[in-house]
Amino acid sequence: MTAIRLLLVDDDPLVRAGLALMMGGAGDIEIVGEGADGDEVEALVDRTRPDVVLMDIRMPSVDGLTATERLRGRADAPQVVVLTTFHADEQVLHALRAGAAGFVLKDTPPAEIVAAVRRVAAGDPVLSPAVTRQLMRHAAGTRADTRQARARDRLAALNDREREVALAVGRGLANAEIATGLFMSVATVKTHVSRILAKLGLNNRVQIALLAYDAGLLEE
């Protein structure tokens, strides 16, 4: 089995050392590079070709949110898991709207951070439970504003089956769980997800989930 190629980006050398030690114990993850600032990310990605970037939010020159947005705007960009000690609503939403596939707090147990890298590499989004609760609050708090109307207009481009899959993605279900719940094959689920991303102009499953949250559909 090919190892997951991981790039670590954090301005604190002690944090990077801890992450390297943590990830080094996982036989299926290979650390291919390290960076100390967001302005290094694109060059590091070009050089090391990672599958996943584990990136801090707060860095001195270019922060992780900006670096994520720049990176995810490129073709064949790696997945990004944002790692931080903070979980303010705006940071969460900015990171996920920028294209991050996951948002994990630094106080998350090591085994769960390793599992997050594996899940994102496999194409599944990762959110800490606290982050998921914040997204629910965000959806409830913005129900009356124009964001909901815009989100519903965008989702109207989907057919009924794609809409069902999009809502299941929004609930955090993996492809196998969606397949079971909607009585279809995993391959068919993947095809629907790809079509949803293309129709809505999104680049990962987390952004599908955010759109469903914004539309207020997950509480109906």
Side-chain angles (χ1 to χ4, degrees):
M1 183 165 132
T2 304
I4 299 166
R5 297 173 62 81
L6 178 66
L7 174 64
L8 303 176
V9 184
D10 195 297
D11 64 325
D12 188 335
L14 291 177
V15 171
R16 292 200 308 275
L19 290 171
L21 182 64
M22 181 191 310
M23 297 298 170
D28 59 340
I29 297 176
E30 176 189 1
I31 298 173
V32 295
E34 296 184 16
D37 201 287
D39 62 359
E40 304 174 32
V41 170
E42 291 187 89
L44 283 168
V45 166
D46 287 339
R47 188 165 68 249
T48 63
R49 300 294 178 186
D51 301 305
V52 179
V53 180
L54 190 57
M55 181 137 54
D56 188 24
I57 280 188
R58 293 197 170 184
M59 291 183 284
S61 179
V62 174
D63 63 43
L65 301 178
T66 301
T68 296
E69 194 163 15
R70 290 176 181 174
L71 190 58
R72 292 299 301 169
R74 296 166 37 137
D76 301 322
Q79 298 293 341
V80 177
V81 177
V82 174
L83 184 67
T84 184
T85 54
F86 304 95
H87 50 85
D89 290 350
E90 288 307 312
Q91 286 184 323
V92 173
L93 293 169
H94 188 166
L96 299 179
R97 292 188 194 286
F103 190 106
V104 180
L105 303 181
K106 285 185 177 178
D107 60 3
T108 300
E112 293 183 23
I113 296 178
V114 172
V117 170
R118 289 177 177 143
R119 284 190 58 188
V120 166
D124 289 329
V126 173
L127 298 175
S128 298
V131 173
T132 302
R133 288 194 294 271
Q134 287 176 329
L135 288 175
M136 292 298 293
R137 287 198 297 271
H138 165 76
T142 60
R143 182 172 299 168
D145 70 13
T146 57
R147 188 190 300 274
Q148 183 188 79
R150 289 197 302 267
R152 292 195 174 199
D153 284 345
R154 292 183 69 186
L155 289 171
L158 305 180
N159 62 38
D160 290 344
R161 202 56 163 164
E162 289 165 348
R163 184 184 176 89
E164 288 178 328
V165 172
L167 294 184
V169 169
R171 295 187 179 100
L173 300 181
N175 288 340
E177 295 171 317
I178 297 172
T180 299
L182 296 180
F183 305 102
M184 63 177 71
S185 70
V186 172
T188 300
V189 173
K190 291 180 179 179
T191 298
H192 281 308
V193 170
S194 296
R195 288 176 179 167
I196 292 165
L197 292 172
K199 281 187 175 183
L200 300 180
L202 304 176
N203 61 29
N204 64 36
R205 296 165 67 100
V206 173
Q207 291 180 331
I208 296 175
L210 279 173
L211 199 60
Y213 277 114
D214 283 342
L217 301 181
L218 299 183
E219 296 183 2
E220 293 182 352

